Amino acid sequence: MPDVLAEVRQGWIKEQGAAFLSAIHTAIVETLHTPEHDKVLRLVEHPPTHFAIPASAGERYTHIEITMFAGRTPATKRSLYKAIVRHLGPFGVPASDIKVILIEVPPESVGMRGGVAASDLDIGYEITV
């Protein structure tokens, strides 16, 4: 876990999609201390007519939803937001144009590794950071 959905307007990211997702993943590994190999990241590029953004935002507005196990402290979440902004800076995304929404789920609400509840597994890392 965590699962990431990043949404942007089509046209500006071009061939940088994999690197863009990697930057978000690096921020997650850095702050949530998840294993490097534990990743599910999706990038959706919407036609501008299908992705309305705030009037104050630019064309590189980035909307990120991260579904993860509940248990991280508010300080850890704040560090995650800052790390994502820092890692997306090289892509020309202004800090004010990044919105991160955390969706926290209890481990018993996730089935994985053959349909077993995550709460019944050793997932390999601590979620209370």
Side-chain angles (χ1 to χ4, degrees), residues 15-95:
E15 70 284 342
Q16 299 180 89
F20 187 82
L21 289 175
S22 182
I24 296 169
H25 182 65
T26 298
I28 289 171
V29 170
E30 187 179 287
T31 57
L32 302 184
H33 309 291
T34 60
E36 176 65 34
H37 69 274
D38 188 15
K39 59 182 168 183
V40 176
L41 298 108
R42 296 159 291 154
L43 175 62
V44 178
E45 295 182 73
H46 298 281
T49 58
H50 290 79
F51 189 41
I53 60 174
S56 61
E59 285 302 308
R60 294 188 181 210
Y61 179 80
T62 300
H63 184 270
I64 301 169
E65 290 181 0
I66 302 173
T67 303
M68 62 185 198
F69 295 132
R72 275 61 177 223
T73 66
T76 297
K77 294 174 190 178
R78 288 182 182 100
S79 293
L80 175 61
Y81 306 144
K82 296 288 186 188
I84 289 171
V85 166
R86 187 175 67 254
H87 285 283
L88 294 184
F91 295 90
V93 182

Side-chain angles (χ1 to χ4, degrees), residues 87-106:
H87 285 283
L88 294 184
F91 295 90
V93 182
S96 60
D97 284 3
I98 299 170
K99 183 174 187 176
V100 179
I101 299 173
L102 300 180
I103 302 166
E104 296 182 282
V105 297

